Amino acid sequence: MAAPSVDADGDRTTDTAGIPTTGAPPGTTTVVVLGGLAALGPLTLDLYMPALPALRSDLHSTVPAAQLTLTASMIGLSLGQLLFGPLSDRLGRLRPLVVGLAVYTAATVLCALAPTMEVLIGARLVQGVAGSAGLVISRAIARDRYEGVAMIRFLASLGVISGLAPILAPVLGGQLLRFTSWRGTFVALSVLGGLLTVGALVVLRETLPPERRHAGGLASTFRAIGGLLRDTPFLGYVLTSTFAFGALFAYVGGSSVVLQGVYHVSPQTYSLIFATNSVGVVAFTQLNGRVLAGRFGQSALMLTGLGMAALAGTALIAFTAVWDVGLAGVWPALFLLMAGQGLILPNSAAGALTMAPHAAGSASALLGTSTFLCGAVVAPLSSAGGRPSAVALGVIVLTCALLAGSAYLLLCRPWARARPAVADAPAV
């Protein structure tokens, strides 16, 4: 058996299999690579969105066909996690990750060279499936390496990057279009895929030793997933994270049309609001990981974040449907919503992964698939009636917050101590 050691990134203590389980914050290179992997999916979805009109015109296609390129990628990112998560439980983390990144890079190059809309849609589907490897395996690696508060801090570090990616990707895409065409956005993604492939090979190490891997075929995989879904606390954490992401996707999908269509803010003002709210989610994610997780119980942080999200939804409705106070009420409410995500998302992910120590890949897959599917449903709802509505955005945010809170209280039962919460005790 391997003796406890310190790895090259400065991570403290390893278990008897040589795998870090508690320890100090991860090294910078590890965070950069794993953060890039976690952000790859959102960047794949959103980076090219400002180029959709030019893409449709260049390929002589229709608006619905152009929107299918986004749908195909989202389907791939959602369902691909169900492939790569269980696969990483059987084969280890690195091999499926490197294969997924290599396929992602090749599919992205094909997107850049696509001669027709049909080819682009097919390539986007493959790109999404392959890109999901980074999303799902980065969380599984976090579960392999860390326990307790250390895992929350690690997920908080990743959460800053992955949380900002869907918010900033359209802005970055718009800046890229100043220098290149829509094909250039896919070239940029292919370069990122290549860099992450090299980074995974050079920086990351295998975190799942052979003796901890799952044997068996497809039937065994389905049994593992079925067992997780029958675990009530695990399901509660997954649903809490899913509905919290629903509120986040409602903001990402609806804030632009609501703020510019209803309140007539300029693009510059909208960018300022977006940047301010981004600071909120980053600040509270870091506060959660670096300060609060070591001092307060996980349940207290979760309930605080859920309360902030519910209060934000209530304020949005009150300031639009009851008292029309304009942007002065909507902006702080949106900031409160995003700040609350910094407390909810890292803790709910850590809670779900803690419930599945022997199937982290499958647990991560269920966590990621459910959030993307919820986002696909929720994102367009704020303008479902044919025009943007600030009231509808508030109703969606409040509904998602209440569903998230109900899932946490009824299924996770934070007052029960039969299965201690991940941050309510020191790391193992």
Side-chain angles (χ1 to χ4, degrees):
M1 290 187 294
S5 62
V6 177
D7 71 12
D9 286 328
D11 294 318
R12 184 171 60 84
T13 69
T14 59
D15 63 15
T16 54
I19 304 303
T21 55
T22 58
T28 302
T29 52
T30 299
V31 172
V32 168
V33 173
L34 291 178
L37 294 174
L40 189 59
L43 287 173
T44 299
L45 281 176
D46 298 334
L47 189 68
Y48 85 120
M49 285 184 66
L52 275 177
L55 180 154
R56 176 191 61 80
S57 176
D58 191 33
L59 295 180
H60 308 289
S61 188
T62 63
V63 172
Q67 291 175 335
L68 274 179
T69 63
L70 180 62
T71 303
S73 183
M74 184 169 286
I75 290 173
L77 284 167
S78 300
L79 301 182
Q81 295 186 64
L82 294 176
L83 168 67
F84 282 102
L87 200 62
S88 72
D89 284 337
R90 292 179 57 198
L91 303 177
R93 309 303 184 202
L94 278 185
R95 280 191 291 170
L97 176 60
V98 171
V99 169
L101 290 173
V103 174
Y104 172 90
T105 303
T108 307
V109 171
L110 181 58
C111 289
L113 300 175
T116 66
M117 186 65 75
E118 291 75 16
V119 172
L120 180 59
I121 292 171
R124 286 282 286 172
L125 178 63
V126 176
Q127 184 194 40
V129 171
S132 69
L135 281 169
V136 68
I137 295 177
S138 62
R139 287 191 298 263
I141 290 175
R143 180 63 186 92
D144 294 339
R145 293 173 65 108
Y146 297 101
E147 292 278 0
V149 174
M151 179 166 57
I152 292 179
R153 288 173 176 159
F154 194 21
L155 290 172
S157 298
L158 299 185
V160 171
I161 303 173
S162 59
L164 283 177
I167 298 173
L168 299 182
V171 179
L172 296 175
Q175 294 302 310
L176 274 176
L177 289 177
R178 297 178 60 186
F179 309 101
T180 184
S181 68
W182 65 268
R183 296 184 187 274
T185 62
F186 287 110
V187 171
L189 286 173
S190 67
V191 171
L192 177 61
L195 291 174
L196 288 175
T197 304
V198 174
L201 288 170
V202 174
V203 175
L204 300 182
R205 301 176 183 179
E206 181 56 64
T207 58
L208 190 67
E211 62 270 20
R212 289 169 53 190
R213 297 176 189 175
H214 285 190
L218 193 60
S220 176
T221 297
F222 283 121
R223 282 196 298 270
I225 292 176
L228 290 173
L229 292 176
R230 289 191 297 272
D231 187 325
T232 302
F234 171 80
L235 185 60
Y237 281 115
V238 168
L239 291 178
T240 301
S241 178
T242 297
F243 291 124
F245 257 105
L248 174 62
F249 274 105
Y251 164 76
V252 172
S255 63
S256 174
V257 293
V258 167
L259 293 176
Q260 296 186 71
V262 176
Y263 295 102
H264 308 292
V265 303
S266 66
Q268 292 74 25
T269 302
Y270 175 68
S271 297
L272 176 62
I273 295 172
F274 226 72
T276 304
N277 294 339
S278 300
V279 169
V281 70
V282 169
F284 273 77
T285 299
Q286 286 296 288
L287 184 66
N288 174 78
R290 296 181 179 273
V291 179
L292 301 179
R295 301 183 181 182
F296 300 95
Q298 181 211 29
S299 57
L301 297 177
M302 287 281 291
L303 291 171
T304 300
L306 290 166
M308 292 168 67
L311 181 60
T314 303
L316 283 172
I317 295 173
F319 292 150
T320 54
V322 183
W323 306 292
D324 188 3
V325 299
L327 192 61
V330 172
W331 189 348
L334 292 176
F335 179 87
L336 184 66
L337 168 66
M338 298 304 291
Q341 300 298 319
L343 299 179
I344 301 170
L345 298 180
N347 286 293
S348 59
L353 293 172
T354 298
M355 297 294 121
H358 302 300
S362 298
S364 180
L366 291 171
L367 193 65
T369 298
S370 62
T371 55
F372 269 94
L373 290 178
C374 182
V377 173
V378 167
L381 291 183
S382 61
S383 56
R387 60 179 183 177
S389 169
V391 178
L393 178 60
V395 170
I396 296 167
V397 168
L398 180 59
T399 300
C400 288
L402 293 177
L403 288 173
S406 298
Y408 182 61
L409 291 172
L410 297 177
L411 300 180
C412 298
R413 301 176 65 207
W415 60 86
R417 287 292 177 262
R419 297 175 71 177
V422 62
D424 285 341
V428 177

